[in-house]
């Protein structure tokens, strides 16, 4: 039986340069989709999946993220005094259990692989989930990570969420090469490539930003070998781990929004607003006025 996944890592040390000047003094992970910061949406996804320990890999000027997941006693007292019980309950419901969040510093922008490696002491020798906060996934039922965990319980090993994209866009993503499928959604992985040259793509299944990884990945990342862009690439370490352990790709159910891009971020705001019963009707009316 596969060891249970209790911990999740969230790399949040990026500078957010594509959203300047908004991110000059505010972390990009605190940009809001409707009324919740990006990082809150992703932590919520992990909580829904049963994650118990949340590990955030931060950088300089990111302390507001830590504050966001802490109690704000003056605000709570003010809300209580004004009878705003709904808002107060909403704040408290968003908080993870005391002691369930840990923060560590990346210190240098050396890539995703380096950020994951920085969490090694907090993760320890157990499998863990990895969620990239830039990517929001809206699903009709179970969240994306919960879907991954279902596959992990069945197969063990390492699991990657993937989605098909048009052939002319494959060159912009990390791509997996897969073998025969199980039920049309789960595929054994036999290779990976980061941003393949046109005409060399092994498939149109791109890596989404949701993973379940075995702790052996840390030993491979410890070599600190730099890959594409002069950064320590997670994909390179996963390729090395693939020689020792099985990987599976899950074609998840739902729709992803790349909130690292302006168009993806704005689209996510529209999609999430239209999914909110309290504002969807009025918002749809306003959207139609703009079209």
């Amino acid at each position: 039986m596969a060891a249970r996944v209790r911990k999740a890592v969230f790399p949040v040390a990026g500078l957010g340069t594509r959203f300047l000047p908004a991110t000059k003094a505010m972390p990009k992970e605190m940009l809001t989709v409707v009324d919740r910061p990006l990082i809150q949406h992703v932590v919520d996804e992990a909580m829904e999946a049963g994650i118990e320990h949340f590990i955030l890999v931060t950088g300089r000027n990111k302390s507001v993220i830590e504050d966001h997941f802490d109690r704000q006693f003056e605000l709570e007292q003010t809300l209580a005094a004004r009878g705003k019980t709904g808002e107060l309950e909403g704040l408290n419901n968003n908080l993870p259990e005391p002691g369930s969040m840990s923060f560590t510093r990346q210190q240098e922008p050396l890539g995703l692989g380096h950020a994951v490696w920085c969490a090694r002491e907090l993760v320890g020798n157990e499998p863990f989930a990895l969620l990239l906060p830039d990517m929001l996934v809206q699903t009709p039922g179970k969240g994306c990570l919960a879907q991954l965990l279902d596959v992990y319980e069945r197969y063990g090993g390492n699991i990657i969420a993937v989605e098909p994209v048009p052939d002319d866009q494959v060159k912009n993503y990390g791509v997996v090469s897969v073998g025969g499928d199980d039920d049309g959604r789960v595929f054994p992985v036999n290779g990976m490539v980061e941003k393949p040259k046109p005409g060399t793509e092994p498939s149109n299944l791109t890596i989404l930003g949701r993973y379940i990884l075995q702790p052996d990945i840390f030993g491979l990342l410890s070599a600190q070998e730099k890959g594409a862009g002069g950064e320590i690439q997670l994909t390179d370490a996963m390729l090395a781990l693939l020689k020792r352990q099985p990987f599976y790709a899950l074609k998840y159910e739902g729709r992803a929004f790349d909130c690292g891009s302006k168009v993806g971020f704005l689209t996510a705001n529209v999609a999430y607003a239209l999914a909110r019963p309290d504002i969807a009707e009025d918002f749809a009316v306003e959207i139609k006025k703009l079209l």
Side-chain angles (χ1 to χ4, degrees):
M1 181 179 294
R4 191 162 69 90
V5 177
R6 302 185 308 112
K7 299 178 179 180
V9 174
F10 305 83
V12 294
L15 297 176
T17 54
R18 286 187 285 180
F19 280 90
L20 288 170
T23 52
K24 179 181 179 181
M26 179 176 68
K28 65 176 180 177
E29 297 83 10
M30 291 301 294
L31 296 174
T32 55
V33 171
V34 187
D35 54 4
R36 304 170 79 78
L38 285 169
I39 185 61
Q40 180 72 65
H41 282 283
V42 183
V43 168
D44 287 347
E45 179 185 331
M47 291 179 69
E48 181 240 347
I51 294 298
E52 301 172 359
H53 189 176
F54 309 86
I55 302 166
L56 281 73
V57 182
T58 71
R60 288 181 294 278
N61 302 319
K62 299 276 186 169
S63 59
V64 67
I65 297 176
E66 189 169 350
D67 291 339
H68 176 73
F69 291 104
D70 202 353
R71 300 286 300 274
Q72 297 284 349
F73 291 105
E74 291 182 356
L75 176 59
E76 293 173 15
Q77 291 171 358
T78 299
L79 291 174
R82 295 178 180 178
K84 294 182 178 290
T85 55
E87 290 84 350
L88 183 57
E89 289 177 2
L91 282 180
N92 291 331
N93 290 340
N94 291 337
L95 289 177
E97 292 292 325
S100 65
M101 300 203 81
S102 298
F103 300 84
T104 188
R105 291 290 186 101
Q106 186 177 6
Q107 297 176 321
E108 296 180 84
L110 296 179
L112 176 59
H114 183 259
V116 173
W117 178 77
C118 288
R120 65 198 183 283
E121 296 296 338
L122 292 168
V123 172
N125 189 32
E126 59 184 282
F128 65 99
L130 172 64
L131 298 90
L132 306 190
D134 281 354
M135 194 66 67
L136 293 192
V137 186
Q138 192 177 46
T139 61
K142 281 187 176 182
C144 186
L145 181 58
Q147 295 178 43
L148 282 179
L149 286 169
D150 285 345
V151 176
Y152 173 75
E153 290 175 5
R154 182 175 177 183
Y155 292 94
N158 303 270
I159 317 293
I160 309 170
V162 298
E163 68 172 356
V165 301
D167 291 343
D168 62 346
Q169 296 181 22
V170 175
K171 62 184 179 182
N172 300 317
Y173 300 93
V175 183
V176 296
S177 171
V178 297
D181 66 281
D182 175 82
D183 57 4
R185 296 183 58 233
V186 181
F187 306 81
V189 175
N190 53 41
M192 306 173 214
V193 60
E194 190 71 31
K195 297 181 179 179
K197 293 180 179 179
T200 67
E201 307 92 340
S203 75
N204 70 337
L205 295 176
T206 60
I207 300 173
L208 176 70
R210 298 289 188 275
Y211 315 75
I212 294 174
L213 298 170
Q214 296 297 323
D216 309 71
I217 197 80
F218 294 122
L220 296 167
L221 290 169
S222 293
Q224 303 284 295
E225 294 181 0
K226 295 182 179 180
E231 296 184 335
I232 299 169
Q233 297 290 344
L234 179 65
T235 302
D236 293 341
M238 290 196 298
L239 271 170
L241 188 57
L242 178 60
K243 297 176 181 178
R244 311 177 188 177
Q245 297 178 356
F247 274 74
Y248 298 92
L250 168 67
K251 192 188 295 184
Y252 71 96
E253 293 181 345
R255 180 179 179 183
F257 302 93
D258 180 4
C259 293
S261 73
K262 294 182 178 71
V263 171
F265 175 72
L266 294 171
T267 305
N269 268 281
V270 173
Y272 276 72
L274 292 175
R276 284 272 297 266
D278 57 330
I279 61 174
E281 185 175 349
D282 291 340
F283 184 62
V285 171
E286 296 302 321
I287 288 291
K288 289 177 182 178
K289 292 179 183 178
L290 297 174
L291 299 177

